[in-house]
Amino acid sequence: MADFQFETTPRIICQARGSARLGELARELTVARLFVVTDAGLIKTGLIEPILASLSASGIDITLFSDVLADPPQEVVLAAVSAAKAARVDGVMGIGGGSSLDTAKLVALLCGTSQALDEIYGVGLARGARLPLIQVPTTAGTGSEVTPIAIVTTPTHEKKGVVSPLLYPDVALLDGRLTLGLPPHVTAMTGIDAMVHAIEAFTSRLKKNPISDALALKALALLYRNIRIAVADGADEAARTAMLQGSLLAGMAFANSPVGAVHALAYPLGGHFHVPHGLSNSLVLRAVIDFNRPVADRLYAELAEAILPGRHFADPAEGADAFARELKALVAEMPYPQRLREVGVAVADLPMLARDAMNVQRLLVNNPRAVTYEDALSIYEAAF
Ligand SMILES: NC(=O)c1ccc[n+]([C@@H]2O[C@H](COP(=O)([O-])OP(=O)(O)OC[C@H]3O[C@@H](n4cnc5c(N)ncnc54)[C@H](O)[C@@H]3O)[C@@H](O)[C@H]2O)c1
Ligand SMILES: CCCCCCO
């Protein structure tokens, strides 16, 4: 058995109407001046106002930053840090999708250390303490509320990661009711993103371990069983809560057993064409599964057993066939674009995308099968 290290967030609360406890949780963290990070879409849903009112009623002074943009641009992150420093906040809360949660992480970190953002891109470069941090996901989801990762889009459209245990929050609060209003196409994109986290954590080549495996299998089972329900009937609170739990478990899994080629090939789609993160993953998922089949059939067969209760596949190829079939059928049912050509990508763009994907070696090294430039190009061609 290979040695391994497993990291996790210290405190997870999953509670219907749990958002009513945010004032209590902030006070427990001795926060008096809270910086709330979200985006305009969340403000429009009306979800934020009652939460801010309950926090204020608890005597917490609020500074609201609602200018987060998808795939947070570096300048937006820096604007949030400046606003937090100017307000002299002593705690941060992210409430929203992964873009808001990642921005909140970096605000908490950069308000607590003397470092600059461009000093901490990469793995383990952050130093010092961060401000108290509460994360409240409203998509299910990136799992960002339980990962040590924050992704920023640089002015050259490159997606860069900050990876540090300092980015784990003090509290991750799951409240299914906050996701009830998620539109079907966003429910689908973020749900498939969470499934990709579980799939890629389970097939990851370098840091796969028994704990991440157990989390990935449970995550995939929860997500697969509930994504169709949540997309078809967003008011189903049980399905919504299961999706949040599944995306959190998948987040814990890939935080310790990192993602591979699906994410590496998805990043350039987000960076250059502003394709939403979950959709970027979905667009290349089927072709990457087909590409990995020569080395990953046994793993895909285990994943097939996780989503097809009662089925056992003695023949790995048969199990992998079943897994690929189920995933392709599920993606095809999702209410969003299915091909690269539908999201503004031209054939002439594919070599550039493949070149950019090859720059994401920090993820490609985790893929069960080595990926060359030619492989990346052929995957994009198959997804076109
Ligand atoms: N840190 C990590 O571990 C990690 C993992 C995966 C992805 N990411 C990053 O997360 C970002 C993607 O996050 P995302 O997919 O959650 O989307 P997002 O946060 O970029 O956008 C979500 C969209 O849905 C809206 N929305 C969110 N919750 C809603 C609700 N309950 N009701 C109605 N509308 C709602 C928002 O207003 C926004 O328009 C990317 O930047 C990606 O790189 C980070
Ligand atoms: C190192 C960055 C890994 C991020 C995966 C989810 O987007």
Side-chain angles (χ1 to χ4, degrees):
M1 156 82 78
D3 297 343
F4 68 90
Q5 173 180 327
F6 192 88
E7 299 176 340
T8 181
T9 190
R11 190 175 178 199
I12 298 164
I13 298 171
C14 181
Q15 183 178 349
R17 297 180 182 78
S19 51
R21 293 183 52 191
L22 286 167
E24 165 207 329
L25 293 169
R27 279 202 312 279
E28 278 177 24
L29 294 169
T30 68
V31 173
R33 295 183 307 285
L34 185 66
F35 194 69
V36 177
V37 182
T38 190
D39 67 23
L42 257 299
I43 298 290
K44 223 180 291 170
T45 66
L47 286 170
I48 301 298
E49 264 165 63
I51 290 174
L52 298 186
S54 124
L55 286 163
S56 300
S58 308
I60 308 276
D61 177 58
I62 305 289
T63 301
L64 176 65
F65 182 87
S66 57
D67 295 337
V68 171
L69 297 175
D71 300 304
Q74 185 172 280
E75 60 271 18
V76 171
V77 173
L78 294 174
V81 173
S82 303
K85 286 182 173 176
R88 298 170 54 78
V89 300
D90 59 6
V92 180
M93 181 174 84
I95 177 164
S99 295
S100 297
L101 301 182
D102 283 6
T103 303
K105 289 177 180 179
L106 292 171
V107 171
L109 179 57
L110 294 171
C111 285
T113 78
S114 56
Q115 292 175 292
L117 179 53
D118 57 13
E119 290 177 72
I120 60 174
Y121 284 129
V123 180
L125 300 180
R127 293 283 173 273
R130 60 154 170 77
L131 293 183
L133 175 62
I134 299 173
Q135 296 280 46
V136 185
T138 64
T139 66
T142 66
S144 173
E145 69 276 11
V146 287
T147 78
I149 299 159
I151 309 290
V152 177
T153 303
T154 67
T156 56
H157 308 296
E158 192 188 351
K159 293 197 82 171
K160 281 188 158 183
V162 174
V163 184
S164 165
L166 290 168
L167 296 182
Y168 285 115
D170 296 285
V171 180
L173 175 73
L174 303 187
D175 179 346
R177 298 174 62 80
L178 296 178
T179 65
L180 294 177
L182 205 56
H185 71 289
V186 182
T187 299
M189 291 177 192
T190 50
I192 293 290
D193 183 29
M195 292 181 70
V196 171
H197 292 153
I199 294 164
E200 293 218 286
F202 193 76
T203 59
S204 194
R205 192 170 62 87
L206 301 176
K207 294 187 178 177
K208 174 184 169 72
N209 64 73
I211 299 177
S212 61
D213 280 352
L215 291 166
L217 290 171
K218 181 62 179 175
L220 193 63
L222 277 170
L223 294 162
Y224 185 77
R225 212 165 31 237
N226 288 280
I227 187 169
R228 287 185 171 99
I229 300 168
V231 169
D233 175 14
D236 186 318
E237 192 172 336
R240 290 293 198 178
T241 302
M243 289 298 291
L244 268 178
Q245 292 167 352
S247 65
L248 179 143
L249 293 170
M252 292 174 79
F254 91 78
N256 288 277
S257 179
V259 295
V262 175
H263 275 77
L265 273 79
Y267 276 9
L269 296 172
H272 288 287
F273 294 91
H274 306 295
V275 179
H277 175 74
L279 176 55
S280 300
N281 283 329
S282 181
L283 288 167
V284 297
L285 173 62
R286 292 164 289 191
V288 170
I289 288 175
D290 290 344
F291 171 76
N292 284 338
R293 285 289 307 268
V295 301
D297 269 6
R298 183 181 54 75
L299 296 173
Y300 287 146
E302 288 181 67
L303 291 175
E305 293 177 355
I307 62 173
L308 300 170
R311 295 291 301 275
H312 174 65
F313 298 98
D315 173 4
E318 185 195 343
D321 284 343
F323 180 72
R325 191 169 48 247
E326 291 294 327
L327 263 288
K328 289 174 182 179
L330 177 67
V331 167
E333 291 171 33
M334 295 293 107
Y336 54 56
Q338 297 287 313
R339 317 292 305 173
L340 294 181
R341 69 182 70 193
E342 298 171 47
V343 294
V345 177
V347 174
D349 298 316
L350 301 186
M352 175 272 292
L353 290 171
R355 281 193 301 276
D356 277 14
M358 293 311 292
N359 290 336
V360 197
Q361 284 300 321
R362 72 182 185 288
L363 301 186
L364 287 173
V365 295
N366 304 308
N367 200 62
R369 183 181 174 191
V371 179
T372 66
Y373 165 80
E374 290 73 20
D375 294 328
L377 185 57
S378 65
I379 289 168
Y380 281 129
E381 286 165 349
F384 186 73

